[in-house]
Amino acid sequence: LSSNYLDILGSQKLSGHIRVSGAKNSSLVLMVAALLTDSSVFLSNVPLLSDVESMSKILLSMGLKLRRNQNQLEIITSGLSLFSKNLSCEVFHELRASFFCIGPLLARFGEVKIPLPGGCRIGARPIDEHIQGLRALGAIVETKNEYVVAKTISPQKRLIGARIKFNCKSVGATETILMAATLAQGTTILENAAQEPEIQDLAMMLNEMGAKIQGAGTSQIKIEGVDHLNGCSYTVMPDRIEAGTFLVAAAITRSPLTLSPVIPEHLETVILKLQECGCLIECKGDTLRIIPRKNLQAVDIITSPFPGFPTDLQAPFMALMATVKGISKIEETVFEDRMQHLREFQRMGAKILLDGNTAYVIGTNNLKATSITGGDLRSCAAMVLVSLAANGTSVVRGLEYLDRGYEDFAGKLNAVGANISKVYSIPLASDECD
Ligand code: UD1
C-alpha cells in the first residue's frame, strides 16, 4: 500500500470550471477491443490513470506496442504473440477489466488461456455470465488453477453467432460477448444486455472498425459477425462518473461549479437527484453548471444498472447526504459489499445506520476532520469529498485507489479553490482494485 496521503483543509468554497477527462471504463475496454484487429488503433482523450497503465502493461505483455503522447494512445497490434508466452497473473490481477481480453482473443485465434481477473473489494464479482456467453457462442471454457482456458469447437476455429440471454445485467459480460460476437460466424442477439454508455462507446468504436452492431444502449443488441476488423481512430467519451463526482463536490461545499465536456443524458438520474435535494443545474450543450442552495435536503437513492443511479456514485452521494438536512435512505443493489466507506464517515461524526445493504444517513452540518482511508476507488473519492465539507484538516489515505480512476483529482479541485496537498512518503507494497 502507498503511504502517500492528502491533507485537505475543509470548509473552503469552490468556484470556476473543471475539465472532465475521458472515461476510465471506456478507455479500458476500447484498449482491449484493439485486440480484435491486426491494424493500429488510435485513441484520443485517454485519461492518465494507473488503471490505463495497468491495461497498457497487459497489452505489452502480449507483444503489442504502444505509443503515448499525453491523452493520445496508439495501439500497434501487429506484434500480438499470445501463445509464445505464459501471460503473467500478476499484471492481470491488477484490474478486473483484464478479463475482457478473453472475448477478442478467443474470437481472433480460436483459443486462449488467460489469468483470472482481479478487482476492487466490493463483493464477489463473479465471471459466470462471461463464461456462459462464450459457451453459447460455441466455446469450451474451463478454469484451471489461476487461468481460464477457452477453445472454439468449430473446425474453422470461429465462434458461432447465437441468441444469448444474460441472467443479470453485467457491463463486463456484455462487453466481453459483444466483442467476441463481432468476429463470429452469423448473427448474435444479446438479451438483457447492460445499457451503460460505455457499451455504446464500445459499439461505436467497433462499428468504426467495420463491425455490424445495432441496439447498443438498449437491452437487446444485434451483432452480425464479420470476417475481419480494421484499425480506426476514436475519441473516448467524457467520464460520467468523474463528472458526477465533481457535481457532488460542488453540492457538498455549497459552491457553484461549471463542468465540461459532459454528455448530459449520461447523468440524467444523478442530475434529477441533485435537483431534488436543492441544486439548480443548468445544461447547455456539453456544459453543466451547478448552483447548490445553501440548505440542501435529504433524498433517497437506490443504485441500479443504467439508466438507474450508478453504483459508482453511491459513496460520493452518501458523503453529500451526511451533510444535508433530514434522513436519507441509500440502498445498494448492484454490489453486495459496497458500504465500507460508511465507517469512515461515522468517524467524522456522521450518523449512519446500516441495515443489510441499506444505509440510513442522518445529515449534520458539523462533520469533524480526522484521518480516513478509502478502501476502493469510489470510496476514496468520497473521502476527499467529505473532507471538503468537514471542519478542520483531514488526512485521506488510500490514494493508490484514487489514482486508478481520477486524473489529477486533487489538482483539478485545487484549481477551483480547494486546499489539498499531497504528502509523499515511502511506499510499502502494491495492491489491487477495480
Ligand atoms: C463495471 C465497471 C464498474 C461498475 C460496474 C457496475 C468497468 C471496468 N467497471 O464493472 O466501475 O461499478 O460495471 O456499473 O467497466 N455479475 C455476475 N456475473 C458475472 C458478471 C457480473 O453475477 O459474470 C454481477 C456482479 O457480481 C455485480 C453485477 O453483476 O453484482 C454488476 O457487475 P458488472 O456490471 O459486471 O460490473 P463490472 O463489469 O465488473
Side-chain angles (χ1 to χ4, degrees), residues 33 40 91 100-101 103 105 113 148 173 191 195 217 224 271 290-291 359 368-369 415 418 425:
S40 294
V91 4
F100 305 169
C101 296
L105 293 173
K113 178 182 171 192
V148 177
E191 285 174 14
Q195 293 169 234
E224 282 174 57
I271 289 173
I290 174 167
I291 306 160
K368 296 214 167 45
S425 53

Side-chain angles (χ1 to χ4, degrees), residues 178-222:
L178 177 61
M179 288 189 280
T182 55
L183 289 179
Q185 264 176 328
T187 302
T188 298
I189 308 276
L190 303 181
E191 285 174 14
N192 198 25
Q195 293 169 234
E196 268 67 3
E198 290 74 15
I199 289 161
Q200 296 177 47
D201 215 26
L202 172 63
M204 272 180 0
M205 183 173 107
L206 291 171
N207 283 342
E208 291 272 312
M209 293 166 77
K212 291 188 176 158
I213 303 168
Q214 289 170 2
T218 73
S219 64
Q220 180 165 310
I221 306 177
K222 182 177 174 193

Side-chain angles (χ1 to χ4, degrees), residues 342-389:
L342 183 151
R343 283 186 296 277
E344 300 301 277
F345 296 153
Q346 285 169 332
R347 296 183 54 241
M348 294 185 110
K351 290 188 182 62
I352 311 176
L353 307 170
L354 186 64
D355 176 14
N357 260 344
T358 303
Y360 296 88
V361 185
I362 305 151
T364 164
N365 57 8
N366 195 20
L367 292 179
K368 296 214 167 45
T370 183
S371 175
I372 46 178
T373 305
D376 66 64
L377 165 57
R378 306 302 171 187
S379 77
C380 197
M383 296 303 137
V384 175
L385 296 173
V386 79
S387 304
L388 294 175

